[in-house]
Amino acid sequence: MYRIFCESYANFTNDFEQFDARLAAAEPLGLIVDVDKFNSAKKGCTEEYKRLCDLLHFASQNIGRYPRMEAFLWTISSRGMLPESYGASDSAVMEEQVKLIDSFLKLAYWH
């Protein structure tokens, strides 16, 4: 599942090389793909890290609506990526981000 996410994220970012609202919303997802970058952001408690943690928390609270999230969250938890609420993200943005992750997991960007 992690590999599917990473490859789909790469395909998505390549498809939207120019600025696009969905690409901007996907920014925190880059931390999931790059564990070293994630660990560095975690150590510095950066805004991008906080937004990702908020997103993971939001996803964990909405597993009923996005059932694939349960397995995905379990997969990335082994990499130290855990849901936590910092209040750094807007719920509308997180909704779009969760939909994007769900589309990755549904293979919408799988080539």
Side-chain angles (χ1 to χ4, degrees):
M1 185 167 274
Y2 181 72
R3 191 184 113 225
I4 289 169
F5 175 85
C6 291
E7 290 182 24
S8 294
Y9 176 82
N11 293 336
F12 172 80
T13 56
N14 287 334
D15 289 348
F16 295 99
E17 289 179 15
Q18 296 178 343
F19 181 79
D20 179 88
R22 287 195 84 174
L23 185 58
E27 180 188 2
L29 303 181
L31 291 179
I32 297 172
V33 175
D34 187 338
V35 177
D36 291 333
K37 187 176 175 183
F38 169 80
N39 288 328
S40 177
K42 181 179 181 179
K43 186 176 179 179
C45 201
T46 65
E47 281 300 309
E48 188 176 19
Y49 169 77
K50 290 176 184 178
R51 288 193 311 267
L52 176 62
C53 290
D54 281 348
L55 170 60
L56 299 179
H57 177 73
F58 182 84
S60 72
Q61 299 299 306
N62 289 283
I63 287 174
R65 291 176 35 218
Y66 302 100
R68 287 177 181 80
M69 288 299 148
E70 186 170 20
F72 180 67
L73 291 170
W74 179 82
T75 301
I76 64 173
S77 70
S78 67
R79 292 165 175 81
M81 300 174 191
L82 303 171
E84 194 169 345
S85 180
Y86 284 97
S89 296
D90 177 79
S91 61
V93 172
M94 290 187 291
E95 182 72 38
E96 287 304 310
Q97 291 168 328
V98 169
K99 287 178 184 177
L100 185 57
I101 293 171
D102 195 50
S103 70
F104 289 172
L105 300 177
K106 288 179 180 177
L107 306 176
Y109 293 95
W110 187 260
H111 295 177

